[in-house]
Structures are given as C-alpha cells and as structure tokens.
Amino acid sequence: MSIAPWFDAAAEFERPLLERNAPLAELHRQAQLDGAARLRAAGSLRAPSPWQGTTSVSGMRQAIVEAEVYALLREYAAQAAAVTDGADSARWTALVDEGLTRSRRGLLVDEVRDSAAGALLLRDSWGLRPVVPNAPVIDCACGYAESGVIAKGLCIECGELVVRRWSAEELRLLALVPKYRARVEEILSDTEARQKKQIGVPSDAPISDVASKRARGGRALGRLRRSGRRLLVAGRDLPSERWKQLAALTAKALQIQVGAEGRRAGRRGLGAAGLAALAVKSDDAIHG
Ligand SMILES: [Zn+2]
C-alpha cells in the first residue's frame, strides 16, 4: 500500500525503474536499511517538556517520526539525483504532482513532494501507514489541511499541527549538536518555569505579561545563537530549510501569540520552535 491510493501510479512507476537502474536500486536498498534503524531510534524519543506544548505524547512521537522521514527522503533524493535519468525524474514528479492534486492533501504529503523516485516504496518499506481516503485528518477550520493553501491564516488546529512539526524538526536538529542542545534546553526550561509562575499571577494584561517571559527567553536564545556558533558542528547547515519553512508557516497562525513566535524565529535560531510550543501552552492555560 502506498501513502494513499492517489499515489499508486507513482509507486508502480518506481518498481520497474528500480529493476532496471542498478545504482539507484543499491542506493535505495541502503536508504531502506539506514532509514529503518534511524526510525527505530526516532520512535523511542520523547520531547522534553517545553517542546511538548499541549500535544499528546503519541502526537509528538508521530511528529518526531515524520521529521525523520522527511530528512531521510531528502537525503535519499540528494543522492538519487546523480544516478536517475532526467526523463525518469520528470515522469515521477509528474505522477506525484498528479497524486497531490487529486488527493488535495498538501499538508500530509510534502515529504514526498521534496523527494525523488523511490520515495514511495521507501515509505512503504518503513511500514508507514497509508492515508485513509477522505478520513478527516484534523478538525480544520481554515482549509489549509485539505488544500495546502493558506487564506487568512492557519486555524487553531493547523497552527498547532505546524508548531508540533516545527518542534519535532528542531529536536531532530538539536540531537546533532548535543552541547548546543543542552544550552537551549536550559533556556527553555527556565522560560517555561517563569511562564508557569506568571500564569498564576492575577493581572490586567495576562497575555502580554506571559509573553514577556517568552521574549526574555527569546533574547537568551538570540545571544546563544550569536555566541554559541562554536558549539554547532562545523559545516552543518543549521537550522535546516525545513525548520525555516515551518517557522514561516507558524508565522501565519491566527493565534496571535503563536504567530508572533514564528516571526521572531530568525533572530533566535534553534529553540524558537520550543518557544512557539510554549505560546500554545500559554494560550491554552489563559483561555482555558
Ligand atoms: Zn486549518
């Protein structure tokens, strides 16, 4: 079974392609093995409290696995490009685009869009479940979950889903730089404690008072970003494009505080998604 019935044509195209292209098949085999091991590891990770936001443990685990799948498929695509014929790539892309148009589920399948021929069979081999046609994925009020197009902004459900994905991608990247991660985690745990304390204080402006605690954490992240480059392993491109895309999407959240955290991501660098998750938590606590 493929990601969804709409992608069966693309998956069927991959099978004979792998049979006649030995270098691609070898790469595919290796990606399958490496991917299975990395997904096993990702499946056992737990998000530390600040990144958890209001997401359920199982929801966060799913997002962590998705982030790993996205990264694996991107890495596979980068290698596959060198051994895949241009015409085959174009054909595969056309079939995937057709599937995307028919499924109208941009939200779910972006990991495929950014990969290469072989990606659908890789997903299958990792045991990822197919998407059930027409089953509501989330209770979306803005249309984005279905169409992938943002009108006025992201509704609460979509906004939270994007923050969840952004947090998961951030945790994936932070795992590559443990020393930097330790500093980020320290800042976010401190911010969460301050936020929690502030939420309990009676105030005329509870939202901005609590937001000021996150702003403080954001400034600390900004200082770390500027001074802590040596803690980032040289040559690693951090944050990733994916992280930046998800930050830009979060900026479109209709929940004002959550959107604001997305817009400040660039200055803060890694840790910004954790602050957005804290904004979701704070909104929930204040508005009930
Ligand atoms: Zn929505």
Side-chain angles (χ1 to χ4, degrees), residues 201-220:
V201 176
S203 157
D204 293 334
I207 295 172
S208 59
D209 284 351
V210 174
S212 74
K213 304 300 170 196
R214 290 194 302 276
R216 178 195 168 113
R219 288 192 295 276

Side-chain angles (χ1 to χ4, degrees), residues 107 138-146 149 153-159 254:
L107 189 64
I138 55 172
D139 189 12
C140 169
C142 69
Y144 176 72
E146 198 193 341
V149 176
L154 296 176
C155 68
I156 291 179
E157 290 290 333
C158 285
L254 288 172

Side-chain angles (χ1 to χ4, degrees), residues 1 3-6 105 108 129-137:
M1 274 290 261
I3 183 168
W6 307 285
R105 288 274 168 79
L108 284 169
R129 280 177 306 164
V131 178
V132 180
N134 304 323
V137 183

